[in-house]
Amino acid sequence: MLCFSALAPFADAIAKILGQTLPISLIVLFRFVAQMVILLPLVALTRRTWSFTPRVLRLSLMRTVLHILGIGLMVAALRVLPLADAIAIAFVLPFLMLLLGKFILHEEVGPRRLAACAVGFAGTLLIVQPSFQQVGWPALLPLAVAVNFAFFILITRSVSKDIDPMALQVVSGGMAVLILLPVLGGYYLWAGPAADLTAPNATEWMLLAGMGAIGTLAHLLMTWSLRYAPSTTLAPIQYVELPVTTFAGWLIFSDLPNGLAALGITISVSAGIYIILRERAMLAQP
């Protein structure tokens, strides 16, 4: 999980660079092409199982559609927001997962954890506020990413019990390519010259390959970590992603959160860690 938290911000940084010159649709497409190309030989060499029940196939398709939307929304957000701000806003995800657990999965969630949710969301609003003043409604895109990936994680939890994670990633990449190619091809044929489609240059090809490789590896590392340790143990480690993201934003883009956003990040992280500690305390009770 530490390796995931160290790698993921750099994949997002590459996506931010590419988003300034390439259409979002192409970035998303090549992200999934890279995922399929990298993992397909590994699945074949390690002879992993490919058994998919109709239920798993349906859920995998839903998961793939959510993954496409989530990556597309994040790339759109990174076009206009500083890297650290976009990722910090998306970290409202743990609070959404807690609320979904209460109202959809009917899990027991006490008043203190609900109060921590409210505090954490208030911290997120502090991060959004200066960004919203600067760029308007696109500052809300990371919130949409968080909602999207909350449902993505719920489906992943259900599917991962019945299929090998690496095989799932290969099938997900193939589904995404099969969905995106006809949709994008139809759009560009319909739009014609107005689509402004240009082939990536040599540097952009290298960045696309790097983003795909880093993103694929990071996602696998996170999936493997969840196989060996409970999410309540690993979740606090994922907050390492925020300082790494801040460092990457400063190193590559010379961006740093302003004082209000930094306060919001501190509040959100503190509330998230409190929720995790409460989860562990609840699990420890007889």
Side-chain angles (χ1 to χ4, degrees):
M1 185 61 81
L2 279 172
C3 290
F4 164 80
S5 299
L7 286 173
F10 290 94
D12 290 328
I14 295 174
K16 180 174 177 63
I17 294 170
L18 290 169
Q20 307 306 313
T21 56
L22 293 181
I24 294 173
S25 55
L26 285 181
I27 297 172
V28 177
L29 174 62
F30 283 110
R31 165 64 179 82
F32 285 104
V33 169
Q35 177 175 309
M36 187 173 58
V37 169
I38 291 169
L39 294 181
L40 184 59
L42 293 176
V43 170
L45 288 172
T46 54
R47 299 180 180 179
R48 295 173 183 268
T49 59
W50 288 84
S51 57
F52 279 78
T53 65
R55 170 187 169 274
V56 171
L57 277 175
R58 287 194 300 271
L59 290 176
S60 298
L61 180 59
M62 293 170 60
R63 177 181 179 275
T64 299
V65 172
L66 290 172
H67 204 177
I68 292 170
L69 291 174
I71 293 177
L73 288 168
M74 180 55 78
V75 174
L78 290 170
R79 275 184 159 182
V80 296
L81 291 175
L83 182 65
D85 288 11
I87 302 301
I89 294 169
F91 259 78
V92 74
L93 177 62
F95 313 127
L96 291 176
M97 290 303 301
L98 194 70
L99 295 176
L100 287 175
K102 177 177 176 62
F103 295 110
I104 293 182
L105 301 179
H106 305 293
E107 297 175 348
E108 183 65 30
V109 178
R112 282 185 286 185
R113 283 181 288 170
L114 287 175
C117 271
V119 172
F121 191 74
T124 302
L125 293 179
L126 290 177
I127 308 169
V128 172
Q129 191 267 338
S131 298
F132 191 85
Q133 286 184 340
Q134 294 176 8
V135 302
W137 69 266
L140 302 178
L141 286 172
L143 292 177
V145 173
V147 173
N148 183 283
F149 273 104
F151 288 100
F152 173 85
I153 290 174
L154 286 178
I155 294 175
T156 301
R157 283 179 178 174
S158 178
V159 173
S160 62
K161 300 174 184 177
D162 304 314
I163 189 68
D164 178 80
M166 192 178 292
L168 175 63
Q169 289 299 99
V170 173
V171 172
S172 179
M175 285 181 172
V177 171
L178 290 176
I179 292 171
L180 289 168
L181 276 178
V183 171
L184 298 180
Y187 166 73
Y188 287 120
L189 285 174
W190 173 76
D196 192 26
L197 180 62
T198 57
N201 58 36
T203 300
E204 289 166 342
W205 278 118
M206 291 177 61
L207 290 173
L208 284 167
M211 180 193 68
I214 295 172
T216 299
L217 176 59
H219 195 85
L220 276 178
L221 288 168
M222 179 180 64
T223 304
W224 280 330
S225 72
L226 290 168
R227 296 185 68 183
Y228 295 109
S231 58
T232 50
T233 300
L234 296 171
I237 301 174
Q238 196 170 352
Y239 278 99
V240 172
E241 188 176 345
L242 283 174
V244 174
T245 300
T246 302
F247 171 74
W250 169 78
L251 181 68
I252 300 172
F253 305 106
S254 300
D255 286 335
L256 283 174
N258 64 21
L260 192 60
L263 176 62
I265 291 172
T266 303
I267 292 173
S268 293
V269 170
S270 301
I273 292 174
Y274 174 80
I275 288 173
I276 292 160
L277 292 175
R278 285 296 303 165
E279 292 284 350
R280 295 183 68 177
M282 294 293 293
L283 289 173
Q285 290 180 0

